[in-house]
Amino acid sequence: MNTHTETAAIIRQPDPMSPDPMSLDVARPKTANCLLLMSGGVESSTLLFQLAQTECPQPVFLDYAQRAAQQEWEAVQRLSENQQVQAQRYDLSAFGNAVGALRAERYHVPLPHRNFFAIAAIATIASNLNIQRIVIGLSADDAQVDTCSRPAFQNAITNTLGTLNLQLETPLIQLSKAAIILEGNRLHVPWKKTYSCLLGREKHCGFCPQCKKRREAFAQAGANDQDLGYNL
């Protein structure tokens, strides 16, 4: 991960494992009819398996210098390979590091209003690829803690994107994380291939906020914690 904090020009640096869709025509999604913003977590993974049943989603991963960027990207790759689609990674870590450096302390997620930033970024990608539909994995639980996941914001940003001929879809926004896990079970999502930890450890730590939410949701859905790979 890029650790520089200077406010340099932001240039997308293609990952060696992910061909650059802007320069290689063979890597451009020729049949994809939607872009799916993926982090490798419960919601976006469930959406990938759900969408892949009837259409050809293009998974998109954004590296904005979040602490767990590498582990999240590896999870996105594993899940995409499972569904026989090719994920694309966009390196925005220089921007994330520069913004994160404005704070006195370093945060696991350097960007406030992360979903706002992510939607704007993927909307730009969609326009360049001439794909109108953008799908993101928000849950009802997200709205309790994140302003950018609440109906007022989502309605406003959906209307704004509509003026750009882009369509924002949030199919899971009425469901709790536990309900999404049940849907994932129905779709046979391989949960051990997913990743939710904020700390970027090889295995889920089990005690960061995201791990606690994940663990609680799996318990509500009737899953055994020992099947989830926690590092306790």
Side-chain angles (χ1 to χ4, degrees), residues 16-58:
M17 297 178 290
S18 178
D20 184 350
M22 301 305 182
S23 61
L24 296 177
D25 185 63
V26 295
R28 293 172 66 92
K30 296 181 179 180
T31 59
N33 54 8
C34 67
L35 295 188
L36 170 62
L37 182 64
M38 285 200 70
S39 66
V42 167
E43 291 83 0
S44 63
S45 300
T46 299
L47 271 180
L48 173 64
F49 278 66
Q50 189 179 78
L51 291 168
Q53 287 194 315
T54 57
E55 51 190 310
C56 183
Q58 171 63 65

Side-chain angles (χ1 to χ4, degrees), residues 119-132:
I119 292 171
I122 198 171
T124 303
I125 297 166
S127 293
N128 279 355
L129 294 175
N130 295 317
I131 295 177
Q132 290 186 319

Side-chain angles (χ1 to χ4, degrees), residues 22-212:
M22 301 305 182
S23 61
L24 296 177
D25 185 63
V26 295
R28 293 172 66 92
K30 296 181 179 180
T31 59
N33 54 8
C34 67
L35 295 188
L36 170 62
L37 182 64
M38 285 200 70
S39 66
V42 167
E43 291 83 0
S44 63
S45 300
T46 299
L47 271 180
L48 173 64
F49 278 66
Q50 189 179 78
L51 291 168
Q53 287 194 315
T54 57
E55 51 190 310
C56 183
Q58 171 63 65
V60 171
F61 175 74
L62 303 179
D63 179 347
Y64 48 87
Q66 65 271 41
R67 186 170 178 177
Q70 184 59 36
Q71 289 73 21
E72 291 177 2
W73 168 234
E74 290 173 0
V76 170
Q77 288 183 295
R78 291 191 297 267
L79 294 157
S80 298
E81 289 171 2
N82 182 282
Q83 292 299 293
Q84 299 182 334
V85 295
Q86 184 179 22
Q88 299 292 344
R89 172 181 176 269
Y90 292 83
D91 189 347
L92 305 175
S93 58
F95 178 79
N97 276 314
V99 173
L102 299 175
R103 291 174 166 177
E105 298 178 347
R106 181 70 177 178
Y107 287 70
H108 301 308
V109 178
L111 300 179
H113 316 306
R114 174 182 55 181
N115 283 336
F116 183 28
F117 169 81
I119 292 171
I122 198 171
T124 303
I125 297 166
S127 293
N128 279 355
L129 294 175
N130 295 317
I131 295 177
Q132 290 186 319
R133 293 171 55 216
I134 298 167
V135 187
I136 62 175
L138 298 179
S139 71
D141 296 352
D142 293 327
Q144 299 177 14
V145 296
D146 178 28
T147 302
C148 294
S149 300
R150 293 172 183 164
F153 177 85
Q154 287 301 311
N155 290 338
I157 197 68
T158 297
N159 291 336
T160 299
L161 292 180
T163 66
L164 304 174
N165 295 318
L166 296 172
Q167 179 179 336
L168 179 65
E169 301 177 13
T170 54
L172 306 178
I173 200 166
Q174 300 297 328
L175 300 179
S176 67
K177 186 180 287 288
I180 293 169
I181 290 170
L182 291 175
E183 170 65 5
N185 287 342
R186 183 186 70 81
L187 297 168
H188 304 291
V189 175
W191 297 119
K192 285 189 176 181
K193 294 181 183 292
T194 66
Y195 191 87
S196 302
C197 184
L198 286 174
L199 301 186
R201 297 186 178 181
E202 182 178 354
K203 293 185 178 181
H204 291 92
C205 70
F207 56 81
C208 74
Q210 283 296 96
C211 277
K212 288 181 179 179

